[in-house]
Amino acid sequence: LDNATITKSGGIDATLTFKAAQNISTIGTNSITSTSGKLHTVFWSDAETVPNNDGYINLTNTTITTNGGDVVMAGGLDNGANGGIAGDGRPDNYAFGASSMVHGIYLNGNVSIATNGGKVTLFGNGNITASNGGVNLSNVSISSNSGDINISGIAAGANGSSVGIGTYNTTLTTTSGNITLAGSNTRGIRLSENTQITSGSGNISLSGTTTNHNGIDFCNYSGCAAGANATIISGSGAISITGTGGAGFSDIRMNTG
């Protein structure tokens, strides 16, 4: 996408699919909006008959407003894996980082996703050759109201800086939808400064699993800046935080400011 403006202003529910054999990225300022009917929006990388695990998704300066439509960012086959539905026109596997962009999914700077009831699904796997993030969110806002937010990230690099899911200055918000984050491998989940995860009545679940680092980190080792801690709030839903760290590391590490 290069300074694109896409608007759905009439008709019934529809699906907008960006499908690439390798990577999907943006240039300039981009907008995808529906004002009439749902606009399911699918970013599908590594969309080959035999995926090569080499297709990332990298969005900057992008606004997505779906009017109840789902947002899916993933890659590979539409084969029913990872709780998906085979043959539904949506990828069920992971977007993969490459040497040029090591994160599987990198939403970096002024990215806003608002679905007003649609589900948000992000599946990302980092590149094995470098410090990476499976799903890396920086200066991002995702709001889904009654829709669920499901983020799954796998860190592939052996470096301790690699993380399944990493966030910075990011908000994830629902009213009644559930929020689920599952990060694994080198480091499970790292919630850095000004990360806010909030639900009214939906459940919030964080699961970070690793064999050679902390399962879940709240802020970095030096801590967050004063008053800029990561926060998790649910009005009436359950909050579950489960970390499994490697030998000599923490399951859950709190480094507050």
Side-chain angles (χ1 to χ4, degrees), residues 78-81 83-90 92:
D78 175 12
N79 60 356
I85 300 173
D88 67 348
R90 301 179 178 189
D92 297 320

Side-chain angles (χ1 to χ4, degrees), residues 89-241:
R90 301 179 178 189
D92 297 320
N93 294 274
Y94 287 77
F96 270 80
S99 57
S100 58
M101 170 56 67
V102 296
H103 311 301
I105 296 175
Y106 191 22
L107 308 186
N108 178 31
N110 300 317
V111 175
S112 174
I113 299 171
T115 66
N116 194 26
K119 297 179 180 179
V120 178
T121 301
L122 309 180
F123 287 171
N125 192 316
N127 181 270
I128 196 167
T129 61
S131 301
N132 64 78
V135 177
N136 197 326
L137 308 178
S138 179
N139 295 291
V140 173
S141 171
I142 300 176
S143 174
S144 62
N145 289 352
S146 60
D148 293 341
I149 298 174
N150 182 16
I151 302 175
S152 178
I154 301 173
N159 189 300
S161 296
S162 299
V163 60
I165 299 171
T167 66
Y168 172 79
N169 197 31
T170 288
T171 61
L172 308 177
T173 307
T174 69
T175 53
S176 57
N178 298 322
I179 301 174
T180 303
L181 275 62
S184 62
N185 213 350
T186 311
R187 184 186 300 190
I189 297 173
R190 183 180 62 222
L191 305 181
S192 294
E193 292 183 354
N194 294 314
T195 294
Q196 298 181 7
I197 301 175
T198 306
S199 179
S201 59
N203 299 327
I204 298 174
S205 174
L206 274 63
S207 175
T209 304
T210 177
T211 57
N212 59 354
H213 216 285
N214 301 323
I216 298 176
D217 276 311
F218 285 84
C219 299
N220 297 312
Y221 282 115
S222 58
C224 286
N229 291 327
T231 60
I232 299 173
I233 301 171
S234 179
S236 59
I239 296 176
S240 173
I241 302 174

Side-chain angles (χ1 to χ4, degrees), residues 24 28 33-35 44 58 68-69 110 114 187 198 203 210 231 243 253:
I24 299 172
T33 304
S34 176
T35 58
W44 188 342
N58 176 207
N110 300 317
R187 184 186 300 190
T198 306
N203 299 327
T210 177
T231 60
R253 183 182 177 107

